[in-house]
Amino acid sequence: MILKQKPFSTGLMGHVIAHEPSTEATRQMVAVMVEAGATIVEIQIPFSEPAADGPVFLAANHRALARGVTYQSSLDLIQELVKAHGDQCDFVVMTYLNIPYQRGYREFAQELKKSGVVGTIIPDLPLEFSQTYEAALQGEGLFNIRLVAPHGDWARTDRVLSGARELVYVVARKGVTGSPSAFNQDLNQMLDQVRRKTDCPLAVGFGVKSGDDIRKLAGHADYVVVGTASLEAWMAGGEAAFRALWKDLGSAARESVTGLSPEF
């Protein structure tokens, strides 16, 4: 297991977009996430056609690109953040297949290794073409986080899980990021079914917005992924609103272990 030990039974995984809404904001967001107890931070390299992202992240990707954020400037910031927080949490890169394809899988893997991340999430990587990409990552000691979606095709899910390493990302619903998800018994049953098919920890994303969502997933998900809600909080109220959200998330994660809500 490469990933650092999470402090709570329900771990926290944050998502930020590199340099969005600003470089300093990204630094502050990550610092607050780590302070709240996040042990994985997913940093998105902006891309012009982020197919899995809803309107909030789509607009953020376009703003970042319009300001001149590049692949290299994103890697530079990631390396800085790993140096600042890498003793407390792991970092993974999230982007779309066009970027590693254009860089060349081997070069992309080598560049990520130098940045200090432990792996990637590529939402549009077809399962049928994943072996070459994942082999390049493995050659550098990195891994790719595979995604499982609620499409009901368990034969395909079995194929996804058969090659999963370190962590599996379970998408809470069909569609793109940002819209509300129903954290209910149906989803928990799906998570339990996935768990019976893999030894990898399960991270649940797409729609996690509050501590209440974490409480509903306790005992079924190993990690929760919070992205759109984080950016929305920052855009609405800056660091104060962002900190309040992550205080709520951290408290809910702690409750899943102790039944207490310690100060953050």
Side-chain angles (χ1 to χ4, degrees), residues 55-149:
V56 174
F57 273 5
L58 177 64
N61 275 266
H62 289 173
R63 286 196 304 268
L65 294 172
R67 293 199 319 275
V69 174
T70 64
Y71 169 75
Q72 188 57 55
S73 69
S74 298
L75 282 190
D76 291 343
L77 178 58
I78 290 167
Q79 188 170 32
E80 173 193 324
L81 293 169
V82 171
K83 287 181 179 178
H85 305 288
D87 59 335
Q88 297 171 276
C89 76
D90 291 298
F91 289 84
V92 298
V93 161
M94 180 271 186
T95 192
Y96 290 86
L97 184 59
N98 182 268
I99 289 180
Y101 180 79
Q102 292 294 332
R103 300 297 298 176
Y105 294 161
R106 184 174 180 183
E107 182 175 357
F108 181 71
Q110 291 171 343
E111 290 167 343
L112 293 193
K113 179 68 172 181
K114 290 178 182 177
S115 76
V117 303
V118 299
T120 67
I121 300 175
I122 310 291
D124 61 341
L125 175 65
L127 175 62
E128 292 75 13
F129 301 102
S130 61
Q131 287 187 340
T132 302
Y133 171 73
E134 292 179 346
L137 289 184
Q138 290 170 22
E140 298 298 326
L142 308 177
F143 62 92
N144 183 53
I145 298 172
R146 291 188 171 190
L147 287 83
V148 171

Side-chain angles (χ1 to χ4, degrees), residues 6-256:
K6 55 185 171 50
F8 323 129
S9 64
T10 306
L12 297 175
M13 181 171 171
H15 179 118
V16 298
I17 299 173
H19 299 283
E20 174 58 31
S22 69
T23 302
E24 185 56 33
T26 304
R27 292 186 183 115
Q28 293 174 333
M29 287 179 184
V30 172
V32 171
M33 288 174 173
V34 173
E35 184 182 348
T39 53
I40 308 175
V41 175
E42 176 187 348
I43 303 184
Q44 183 169 346
I45 297 174
F47 182 62
S48 58
E49 299 177 63
D53 289 315
V56 174
F57 273 5
L58 177 64
N61 275 266
H62 289 173
R63 286 196 304 268
L65 294 172
R67 293 199 319 275
V69 174
T70 64
Y71 169 75
Q72 188 57 55
S73 69
S74 298
L75 282 190
D76 291 343
L77 178 58
I78 290 167
Q79 188 170 32
E80 173 193 324
L81 293 169
V82 171
K83 287 181 179 178
H85 305 288
D87 59 335
Q88 297 171 276
C89 76
D90 291 298
F91 289 84
V92 298
V93 161
M94 180 271 186
T95 192
Y96 290 86
L97 184 59
N98 182 268
I99 289 180
Y101 180 79
Q102 292 294 332
R103 300 297 298 176
Y105 294 161
R106 184 174 180 183
E107 182 175 357
F108 181 71
Q110 291 171 343
E111 290 167 343
L112 293 193
K113 179 68 172 181
K114 290 178 182 177
S115 76
V117 303
V118 299
T120 67
I121 300 175
I122 310 291
D124 61 341
L125 175 65
L127 175 62
E128 292 75 13
F129 301 102
S130 61
Q131 287 187 340
T132 302
Y133 171 73
E134 292 179 346
L137 289 184
Q138 290 170 22
E140 298 298 326
L142 308 177
F143 62 92
N144 183 53
I145 298 172
R146 291 188 171 190
L147 287 83
V148 171
H151 45 58
D153 184 348
W154 284 101
R156 183 174 181 82
T157 297
D158 287 343
R159 294 197 298 275
V160 172
L161 295 174
S162 68
R165 296 178 59 241
E166 302 297 337
L167 187 68
V168 171
Y169 190 126
V170 180
V171 178
R173 55 172 169 72
K174 296 177 181 179
V176 295
T177 61
S179 299
S181 293
F183 298 106
N184 54 27
Q185 188 61 31
D186 289 342
L187 176 59
N188 287 341
Q189 288 176 353
M190 175 193 170
L191 290 169
D192 294 344
Q193 195 165 352
V194 171
R195 187 178 301 283
R196 289 192 289 269
K197 296 172 178 288
T198 181
D199 293 330
C200 293
L202 307 182
V204 177
F206 281 48
V208 178
K209 293 180 177 292
S210 68
D212 285 342
D213 293 337
I214 293 177
R215 295 180 184 97
K216 293 173 184 176
L217 291 165
H220 301 277
D222 299 292
Y223 292 88
V224 292
V225 188
V226 185
T228 300
S230 289
L231 183 56
E232 288 177 329
W234 187 279
M235 299 300 289
E239 184 178 352
F242 187 89
R243 183 172 288 275
L245 170 65
W246 277 85
K247 179 178 180 178
D248 177 44
L249 298 171
S251 294
R254 287 174 172 86
E255 287 172 24
S256 67

